[in-house]
Amino acid sequence: MINITINGKVIEAQENSTILETAKAAGIDIPTLCYLKEVNAIGSCRLCMVEVEGYGYLLAACKTKVREGMVIKTESEKISIYRKEMLRLILSNHNVDCMSCSDNGVCRLQALCNKYEVKDSYYSGSRRSIEKKLPKLEDNPYITYDPSKCIHCQRCISVCNYVAVNGTLQSGRSGTFHIVEAPFGAKWKESGCESCGNCAEACPTGALTLKRRDKFREWEVKKVLTTCPHCATGCQFYLVVKDNRIVNVEAADGPSNHGRLCVKGRSGSYDFISSPDRLTTPLIKNRETGEFEPASWEKAISYAAEHFMEIKKKYGGDSLAGFACSRSANEDIYMVQKMVRTCFGTNNTDNCARVCHSATVAGLAKTLGSGAMTNPIYDITHDVDCILLVGSNPEEAHPVVGMQIRQAVKTGTRLIVVDPRDIGLSRFADIHLKLRPGTNVAFANGMMHVIIEEGLTDEAYISENTEGYEELKALVKEYTPEKVGEICHIDPAMLREAARMYAKAAKAPIIYCLGVTEHSTGTEGVMSLSNLALICGKLGRSGCGVNPLRGQNNVQGACDMGAQPTDYPGYQKVDNDEVREKFEKAWGVSLSPKPGLKATEVFPAAIEGKIKGLYIQGEDPIISDPDTKHIIAALKSLEFFVVQDLFVTETAKYADVILPAVSYAEKEGTFTNTERRVQRIRKAVEPEGDMRLDTDIITDLMNAMGYPQKRLTAAEIMDEIASVTPSFAGISHERLDNGESLQWPCKGKDHPGTDIMHKGHPARGKALLYPAEYKASAELPDEEYPLILMTGRILYQYNAAAMTGRSDGLNEMAGEGYIEINHKDANRLYIGNGERIIIRSRRGAITATARVGRKVSEGETWMPFHFPDSPVNRLTNAALDEFARIPEYKVCAVRIEKIDDWSDVMANRIS
Ligand code: SF4
Ligand code: SF4
Ligand code: SF4
């Protein structure tokens, strides 16, 4: 540290930092238009000029490093005259139409002109005449570029290159001038732009802006800090509210997003809230007509409670089940599982982690002692040597994580992609192992074979921190690269190279997602990756670990909150007497010691007549679960069925009662992101119509079923959670609202939370090295169904598209179901790119548009599962994993056909 003086005040400064950074850290504002910390420091606007003693001229604060004893003035008459001239020069090329500009009130140029009393320019810029003639680019649904307002600060270009790391926004030329080549014109769909809007947020003027800014002015709105409702990255943003309507989203500097957002977060997070399709009043199905009829809350609550209690009386509590919503708040989920346990009298509660990451929860709990992501997102994407990315496509499913991985690769991190498709990140990868779907266990065993054979293991870590090494060693000995190459359809030499690259890297996280878990051997896939990290000693330290990217915004929280048939909140086991007694005391009832049914077991049990009544909060299994026909059959078998949701979903259509839920923007609460970080959601708008908070709905139902539950605020519910959950003991709304960022385990009010798990030793004490043999997927291709179908997510939609599907812009970007087919298969079947075709499996048939290319290998196909016009889960297989009962979404056998006769499609209702 050195000492400098700014404006007469002595300040401690970091050596090598700039005057601008030092002044900012000391709370002294130096104006700039082009500077963006760590992103853009081209020094073009010249507004940050300051006086430094000993220099006869002004120096640019963004470019000048501090030196011991420096004496600096940031404001003086000389500086003011200079800045006025600079502003006049900038204005000479700026189309000043502040009155009609959508950035009026938020424009940095306007603010500085006001500050330095510059009203117009006496220079006539030669650029302005040219740029006025350049067309505005406004074909992108969300973003516009007006060259006549561009001041060429290059912030947008730097943000696209270094923050979004997309690289589509570039500097170009028009005649003798540099211009910004913005991808928002007629050919916007052909550009690689992801419409994330991070560039527009960085633009200091109205040149690059979000179209919706036209609808409000800065002084008309309030901003509410909250958490994105889509994926589990947990990006922080502000909802911008005018007249009780959300009109915009602005990124906040959150611990997982650092000021970035993806297109879903920025532009798909609020249209659904004011959608006319929202349910606003309870509905009860008239059993004679089959039609839903509006009902009062009192009627709907008592009707639901009576039916559930009748079923309990007749068949026992285990004939009831209740699922919590992984998109809902922790506080809501806690109340749902409490209702199921205290009122239904069963542990038949679950959440949609069952169909996405239950294999992670089961697998990592078994091997490491905790079933959650080990390291924070920032830690595994910054300053790491190698990333091993397995079965994960973060650019589409966790886009802000994807941006950070792209950034890591750009700054020297090596990348190994293990995925059956050419995902976007495979073009950045040092090695892409394009393995056959369903062969992850063989791949991991092959990696370990090479690592052990070549002496690349961390023997000290293994002997101190693991058990089962000898058994594992004996098993993986059989998995030679040649044998694995045959199973996985990969080059053995590349497997060897990948194993060396991962093992030799000092900091190398494993990052994985549903490509590992959604298999009938999903849990073994997870445990195999944990084995891999353990034998290399890459656990419990920075830049390493085993890192599942959880899917939905609060699926981590749904598991943490005890919406699981085996666990109370905080993974406390229902069959542990001591734990159960604790909950019985806290909740004042006796509780069932019997582990409940998992969600994927509830549906077959309903068909068998064992489950008679079901409560579903916010899930839509008809769209999201495999083998739609068996889900419908299960729902039809129920005697009584209640859905609590924002919309009348496909699943809700089968309900007896539908209760309107409120969205994340209409209530207080918390979400827990994939890195175990508990973050606040805050009420931004009042719900319209006759709405009740979700926690109040559950409370009213509990009281109607005879359990005396007091209505509590979300903060009070979190206090109750903390009182019964050791890993949440220190978490409260108060601490979060005071700016603390807490990752569980957080064991007390003074505990700072846990950023990296398993430090010192694994949570289990000694980690288990579980030897898993490779087993083939449950349904392999044959003569009748010769192709493998995989399913997954895309950037522009989320899950069943109930929320994102209500944003017109996102639908314009991706609104139709499609299937990726290898060109060789397409040629053989005479299928052309863009042709609508039929896809059949043993369970059903649908149509989709063919995308022919090389993304998938010959014999394999891939479909996104978001689109109602191609409901892919009519095809998928409900074969379950032995440990977690997770279904095999990633592999089923299909055949594809040309549509020769549309009557076939219509007659069979294939759509
Ligand atoms: S919207 Fe995102 S991807 Fe597109 S140009 Fe801007 S920063 Fe780049
Ligand atoms: S569009 Fe905005 S951010 Fe980009 S160079 Fe122009 S003024 Fe700067
Ligand atoms: S990356 Fe995920 S959490 Fe972040 S803005 Fe996008 S959808 Fe939201």
Side-chain angles (χ1 to χ4, degrees):
M1 299 299 280
I2 57 172
N3 288 316
I4 61 166
T5 305
I6 304 183
N7 299 341
K9 201 168 142 197
V10 178
I11 288 168
E12 252 202 349
Q14 190 86 42
E15 207 171 355
N16 259 331
S17 61
T18 62
I19 295 175
L20 187 68
E21 287 157 7
T22 307
K24 196 169 171 22
I28 299 164
D29 181 47
I30 299 177
T32 66
L33 284 172
C34 62
Y35 178 82
L36 268 183
K37 194 173 177 227
E38 290 169 18
V39 176
N40 198 44
I42 60 169
S44 70
C45 76
R46 314 312 281 172
L47 287 168
C48 67
M49 305 304 273
V50 293
E51 283 189 58
V52 177
E53 222 172 77
Y55 287 82
Y57 48 89
L58 300 178
L59 297 177
C62 70
K63 289 282 182 194
T64 311
K65 299 261 169 80
V66 290
R67 283 204 316 274
E68 180 67 45
M70 234 181 197
V71 179
I72 301 155
K73 265 196 214 164
T74 66
E75 296 287 348
S76 69
E77 203 185 332
K78 187 175 170 184
I79 293 171
S80 182
I81 290 168
Y82 185 89
R83 286 184 185 152
K84 280 180 194 220
E85 279 305 279
M86 285 302 111
L87 285 167
R88 286 188 191 109
L89 280 168
I90 292 168
L91 276 191
S92 72
N93 279 314
H94 181 78
N95 177 15
V96 185
D97 71 341
C98 297
M99 292 295 279
S100 58
C101 179
S102 62
D103 276 27
N104 185 4
V106 72
C107 173
R108 287 278 299 149
L109 177 59
Q110 185 189 47
L112 289 176
C113 285
N114 283 339
K115 179 175 175 186
Y116 290 97
E117 297 176 346
V118 173
K119 298 208 177 345
D120 204 351
S121 179
Y122 37 66
Y123 298 110
S124 93
S126 45
R127 232 181 226 286
R128 189 192 278 188
S129 57
I130 289 177
E131 288 179 335
K132 267 193 154 176
K133 285 185 203 136
L134 292 174
K136 265 190 181 179
L137 303 178
E138 39 195 359
D139 294 271
N140 181 291
Y142 295 124
I143 307 166
T144 61
Y145 175 59
D146 179 353
S148 73
K149 290 184 185 160
C150 179
I151 61 166
H152 300 273
C153 67
Q154 295 209 14
R155 278 183 175 209
C156 55
I157 295 170
S158 296
V159 162
C160 189
N161 279 329
Y162 305 117
V163 178
V165 202
N166 181 283
T168 50
L169 198 53
Q170 287 170 359
S171 183
R173 288 189 87 81
S174 174
T176 54
F177 295 115
H178 282 284
I179 57 159
V180 173
E181 283 185 348
F184 308 119
K187 294 189 174 169
W188 67 275
K189 278 190 180 168
E190 291 159 35
S191 79
C193 171
E194 293 172 347
S195 302
C196 65
N198 291 308
C199 52
E201 187 148 339
C203 180
T205 71
L208 196 52
T209 192
L210 294 171
K211 285 182 173 170
R212 52 185 177 257
R213 288 203 68 91
D214 273 340
K215 303 254 169 20
F216 65 94
R217 289 290 176 265
E218 203 60 10
W219 52 86
E220 297 172 323
V221 297
K222 67 168 182 176
K223 296 181 184 179
V224 179
L225 180 62
T226 192
T227 306
C228 179
H230 297 301
C231 84
T233 305
C235 297
Q236 297 292 285
F237 60 50
Y238 293 95
L239 288 173
V240 180
V241 182
K242 178 184 170 186
D243 301 335
N244 204 40
R245 268 185 109 86
I246 299 166
V247 289
N248 197 13
V249 167
E250 286 177 8
D253 189 10
S256 60
N257 64 317
H258 299 278
R260 302 171 180 88
L261 291 178
C262 79
V263 61
K264 284 192 289 272
R266 191 180 299 281
S267 298
S269 295
Y270 60 90
D271 286 330
F272 70 92
I273 292 167
S274 51
S275 162
D277 305 339
R278 279 285 299 273
L279 277 161
T280 54
T281 189
L283 300 173
I284 296 179
K285 192 178 271 170
N286 182 324
R287 290 195 164 184
E288 278 167 25
T289 64
E291 297 296 318
F292 284 108
E293 292 168 358
S296 69
W297 275 104
E298 288 61 36
K299 173 86 194 296
I301 295 281
S302 63
Y303 184 77
E306 273 165 28
H307 279 80
F308 282 132
M309 289 304 96
E310 264 170 33
I311 290 173
K312 183 178 174 183
K313 203 166 155 199
K314 210 160 148 193
Y315 307 103
D318 284 338
S319 63
L320 295 171
F323 303 155
C325 174
S326 317
R327 320 196 65 140
S328 194
N330 283 322
E331 293 76 1
D332 302 354
I333 296 162
Y334 174 82
M335 292 304 290
V336 171
Q337 61 84 36
K338 185 175 175 182
M339 174 185 80
V340 171
R341 292 189 157 112
T342 57
C343 299
F344 290 2
T346 179
N347 287 307
N348 292 340
T349 183
D350 212 339
N351 76 89
C352 80
R354 187 61 50 206
V355 293
C356 64
H357 265 291
S358 57
T360 289
V361 179
L364 295 186
K366 194 173 170 80
T367 57
L368 305 180
S370 171
M373 184 167 172
T374 58
N375 292 47
I377 293 167
Y378 189 88
D379 180 67
I380 55 169
T381 54
H382 292 77
D383 188 27
V384 293
D385 301 296
C386 173
I387 293 172
L388 176 56
L389 186 74
V390 189
S392 170
N393 188 0
E395 284 182 309
E396 308 265 352
H398 301 85
V400 167
V401 177
M403 289 174 196
Q404 292 175 78
I405 293 177
R406 293 197 294 238
Q407 193 182 38
V409 173
K410 208 165 175 156
T411 51
T413 299
R414 309 193 84 178
L415 177 65
I416 304 166
V417 169
V418 184
D419 200 288
R421 295 168 68 224
D422 287 339
I423 59 170
L425 281 171
S426 41
R427 72 182 188 276
F428 294 91
D430 294 271
I431 297 173
H432 176 198
L433 295 174
K434 197 170 173 177
L435 82 183
R436 187 169 161 80
T439 62
N440 295 317
V441 173
F443 148 76
N445 286 345
M447 290 279 282
M448 288 186 276
H449 176 100
V450 177
I451 289 167
I452 294 170
E453 187 182 63
E454 299 194 4
L456 300 173
T457 51
D458 184 338
E459 294 294 324
Y461 185 89
I462 294 169
S463 75
E464 276 168 40
N465 294 294
T466 68
E467 60 189 35
Y469 186 42
E470 290 311 316
E471 292 85 339
L472 179 75
K473 218 164 149 180
L475 178 116
V476 301
K477 200 165 190 298
E478 305 302 315
Y479 286 81
T480 62
E482 288 65 33
K483 174 176 164 176
V484 171
E486 263 177 45
I487 297 171
C488 300
H489 295 189
I490 55 175
D491 178 359
M494 273 169 75
L495 179 73
R496 278 201 176 86
E497 203 41 52
R500 289 175 195 136
M501 195 181 282
Y502 169 72
K504 287 182 184 173
K507 288 169 119 188
I510 296 174
I511 302 176
Y512 74 90
C513 197
L514 305 184
V516 171
T517 58
E518 289 182 339
H519 291 282
S520 55
T521 54
T523 307
E524 289 178 315
V526 170
M527 293 193 285
S528 301
L529 293 181
S530 142
N531 292 343
L532 184 54
L534 286 166
I535 66 162
C536 296
K538 292 189 189 337
L539 191 79
R541 57 189 176 89
S542 173
C544 291
V546 188
N547 298 285
L549 297 179
R550 305 297 298 262
Q552 310 219 49
N553 54 328
N554 198 33
V555 70
Q556 179 66 55
C559 298
D560 302 342
M561 289 300 103
Q564 292 204 80
T566 48
D567 298 2
Y568 293 119
Y571 307 94
Q572 301 174 83
K573 301 295 166 202
V574 296
D575 54 5
N576 177 317
D577 292 342
E578 209 180 306
V579 166
R580 196 176 55 260
E581 277 162 24
K582 179 177 85 173
F583 278 92
E584 286 178 337
K585 201 166 158 211
W587 292 345
V589 285
S590 72
L591 297 167
S592 168
K594 189 176 134 202
L597 292 178
K598 299 174 174 74
T600 45
E601 295 168 334
V602 163
F603 295 113
I607 293 170
E608 286 168 31
K610 291 180 187 154
I611 292 289
K612 302 284 187 186
L614 180 61
Y615 190 92
I616 295 189
Q617 183 208 25
E619 302 286 341
D620 191 3
I622 287 190
I623 300 295
S624 58
D625 280 33
D627 190 0
T628 307
K629 266 189 201 158
H630 102 277
I631 302 290
I632 292 175
L635 298 181
K636 282 183 172 171
S637 308
L638 295 168
E639 284 188 11
F640 190 64
F641 178 32
V642 177
V643 167
Q644 181 189 351
D645 211 310
L646 300 177
F647 303 102
V648 181
T649 59
E650 285 305 308
T651 299
K653 289 176 187 164
Y654 291 86
D656 296 287
V657 178
I658 311 178
L659 301 172
V662 295
S663 74
Y664 80 107
E666 296 159 324
K667 62 187 169 196
E668 301 290 331
T670 53
F671 291 158
T672 307
N673 80 347
T674 186
E675 50 181 7
R676 298 171 278 105
R677 196 181 299 280
V678 182
Q679 306 190 109
R680 287 278 276 120
I681 55 165
R682 296 184 175 88
K683 187 176 191 175
V685 289
E686 287 294 335
E688 287 172 8
D690 186 17
M691 310 283 268
R692 274 184 195 181
L693 289 176
D694 298 78
T695 48
D696 288 349
I697 297 171
I698 301 297
T699 301
D700 294 348
L701 268 170
M702 289 167 88
N703 281 302
M705 288 189 278
Y707 179 86
Q709 174 64 50
K710 197 175 152 209
R711 272 199 186 187
L712 300 172
T713 64
E716 288 168 337
I717 295 170
M718 182 51 81
D719 290 342
E720 181 174 320
I721 295 165
S723 71
V724 291
T725 314
S727 55
F728 271 67
I731 296 179
S732 65
H733 283 210
E734 193 187 353
R735 281 185 79 180
L736 299 174
D737 288 342
N738 285 338
E740 288 190 77
S741 184
L742 300 172
Q743 288 167 279
W744 66 259
C746 177
K747 295 180 177 165
K749 296 291 171 210
D750 299 324
H751 192 281
T754 307
D755 55 352
I756 298 172
M757 293 193 79
H758 313 292
K759 269 187 188 162
H761 59 81
R764 188 176 179 271
K766 285 208 171 207
L768 176 68
L769 292 165
Y770 181 91
E773 285 281 10
Y774 160 72
K775 290 175 218 133
S777 302
E779 186 182 65
L780 292 174
D782 55 19
E783 258 182 39
E784 204 183 349
Y785 297 97
L787 302 170
I788 288 178
L789 172 70
M790 303 169 269
T791 64
R793 294 180 170 136
I794 62 164
L795 172 64
Y796 299 103
Q797 295 289 350
Y798 207 75
N799 273 22
M803 289 150 72
T804 50
R806 287 180 166 84
S807 291
D808 292 342
L810 293 182
N811 289 338
E812 198 179 335
M813 288 165 186
E816 176 189 84
Y818 62 89
I819 179 166
E820 289 173 2
I821 306 169
N822 184 274
H823 63 109
K824 289 183 188 160
D825 294 319
N827 285 348
R828 202 169 40 248
L829 295 160
Y830 302 102
I831 286 170
N833 191 28
E835 185 179 336
R836 197 83 185 166
I837 59 166
I838 299 174
I839 307 108
R840 289 185 200 277
S841 80
R842 289 186 173 82
R843 292 153 293 278
I846 59 172
T847 64
T849 303
R851 288 198 184 171
V852 177
R854 290 181 169 79
K855 270 187 112 168
V856 290
S857 301
E858 192 176 358
E860 296 167 16
T861 63
W862 183 91
M863 288 185 76
F865 69 90
H866 314 292
F867 299 105
D869 67 323
S870 301
V872 69
N873 282 321
R874 290 192 189 173
L875 309 178
T876 47
N877 189 3
L880 300 180
D881 166 88
E882 155 191 1
F883 300 89
R885 315 304 284 161
I886 189 169
E888 189 149 62
Y889 289 98
K890 295 293 182 189
V891 180
C892 76
V894 296
R895 71 169 183 267
I896 54 179
E897 295 164 9
K898 287 179 85 68
I899 301 177
D900 291 325
D901 183 358
W902 274 93
S903 63
D904 179 37
V905 175
M906 300 316 289
N908 290 295
R909 308 284 309 151
I910 302 170
S911 65

